Amino acid sequence: MLTVITLALLGLLWGGVYLLMATGLNLIYGVMKVVNLAHGDFIVLGGLLAFSLFAEAGLNPLAAFPIAALVLFGIGAGVQFGLLERITAAGSEGELRSLLATFGLSYVVANASFLVWGSQFQSVPFLEGAVQAGPIAIPAGLLAASLAAFAATLLIHLWLTTTITGKSLHATAQSALGAASCGIDVRRVRLLAFALGSAMAGGAGALVITLIPFQTSTGGELTVHAFTLIALGGLGNYAGAWLAAELLGLTEVFAQFYLGSNAAAAVIYIVFIAVLVVRPQGLLGQAGRV
Amino acid sequence: MPPPDLLRLEGVSAGYGRVPALHAVDLALGPGETLAIIGANGAGKSTLLRAIMGQIPLLGGQIRFAGTRLDGRATHARARLGIGYAPEGRQLFPMLSVADTLELGAAREPASVRRARRNEMFVIFPKLLPLRDTRCGLLSGGEQQMVAIARALMGRPTLLVLDEPSTGLAPRVIAELYASLARLLDSGLAVLVAEQNARAALRFARNAVVCEDGHLTLRGPAKTLAADPRVAAAYIGMHDAGIWSAAPAGGASDAPI
Ligand SMILES: Nc1ncnc2c1ncn2[C@@H]1O[C@H](COP(=O)(O)OP(=O)(O)O)[C@@H](O)[C@H]1O
Ligand SMILES: [Mg+2]
């Protein structure tokens, strides 16, 4: 019983980390209807930046978090301005071209990272002990990363739902023409959305590299992870993404414990395919979409 | 001397791709004036409004608003110049509340101004007050159209551009909507309204133009046009035309409504 409770706790904590990894992707999809296939590579880049900040300057990952986020914010803004905004085709053709552009981008980011950091696995040691709660022991690093992730996603959510700028992101997502009629510069909103989504990937990377070692080629896997999560939650749906993150965290932790890590790695892909086949509209469907 | 034009279109051609759907249109509207654009489905009314709002590029001609050339300005920049636009299909934000939607109409103003203007809208459209926290997607068609117009008014426009505000609404709701619009005119607002369902628009506006196949074929005072047999037959329908004292008798039994 104790094992089950511990595993459940671990799963929920991992859920927070997954949520942070996916929220940026969700935000970008919500506003622009583009799945950024370079999202995982952005996460890895953020993580490797945190690694260098730690190795060169002794900065701890919580301090590296805003720096990685800021750098990726800049990169995201550059990508949106220089690449995605130039794709002017409308409708599904525009979406397809944007998707292909981010696919290419993922290679560019992964290879550029490879030139800087090489191919070896890197990680950042952080709070190696455990937090004891009665008979239950939780790794301190996971707890800290998860809490930071929850805090960051909550802040973003509050910003999106309570400020006029946040609402203009929602508005642009729901009707770009309606937003433009309000005098909202929808190009600027899209720039902000892509930059912010990328910043969240960078920040997530700085936290996640303390939990899972990163290699420059880890990005693809993380993209699938994040995409599975938001597809499960219903694309663009924030409440659904949170639920999906917790489910995925629990599934992985339990699968890892009872079936071993190879099986656990396969579980995510099985869930991914199952979602696409059984419930392509996500767990909560259309309700609560951006 | 007549007042200077608020909106002036000269030889405007526009369309989708390289095929024009609008051919060399001239149009002028002064401050506080009302103009109805009527025409059948597919005649080019929305295209004309889209050209004014910068949703499609011009293939020729030019558009001025309050003395400023609009060429090359994006839709949001035109809205900021003082054109309130309620597009075809309303283009509301289905998941946002009425209050949030209205505030977005003045997104660049400080919060206190946004709130004050929002409350003014609840005075103009009292039906929206109890719906302030309701998501726009859940509103009835008439309520949605009120929100679309109120949202367009939030930026304090000098020109209101409405694309088929009466679509999908019951006659009683249409009358109510146009009555609200008529009350707005005291403030000096100019209104350009495109309608396929011409009756209410012709009663509301002082002047009107008929759009056919991308050309403006008839123009004049709305009352005169409403009484014109060609207009009555094609755009008001024989049944409805009966309300006009000067409406022609007979003919047009196959007229579309
Ligand atoms: N997005 C579009 N792409 C291509 N053609 C269009 C588009 N919208 C309208 N058209 C065409 O332009 C012409 C005028 O349409 P529109 O301005 O929408 O008419 P109205 O608003 O008077 O019903 C029609 O022939 C229509 O088929
Ligand atoms: Mg139309």
Side-chain angles (χ1 to χ4, degrees), chain A residues 236-257:
Chain A
N237 180 332
Y238 291 102
W242 179 74
L243 191 64
E246 296 302 2
L247 269 178
L248 226 57
L250 289 168
T251 311
E252 277 221 321
V253 167
F254 278 92
Q256 196 133 21
F257 187 81

Side-chain angles (χ1 to χ4, degrees), chain A residues 145-213:
Chain A
S146 183
L147 291 179
F150 272 125
T153 37
L154 188 67
L155 273 178
I156 289 283
H157 185 73
L158 286 176
W159 181 80
L160 276 172
T161 50
T162 61
T163 69
I164 192 79
T165 313
K167 287 174 192 170
S168 70
L169 259 73
H170 284 281
T172 303
Q174 290 167 39
S175 168
L177 173 55
S181 309
C182 290
I184 293 167
D185 183 347
V186 293
R187 282 181 58 170
R188 234 187 94 228
V189 167
R190 287 197 287 258
L191 186 77
L192 185 63
F194 200 89
L196 204 62
S198 304
M200 294 188 74
L207 296 179
V208 175
I209 198 170
T210 67
L211 307 171
I212 332 169

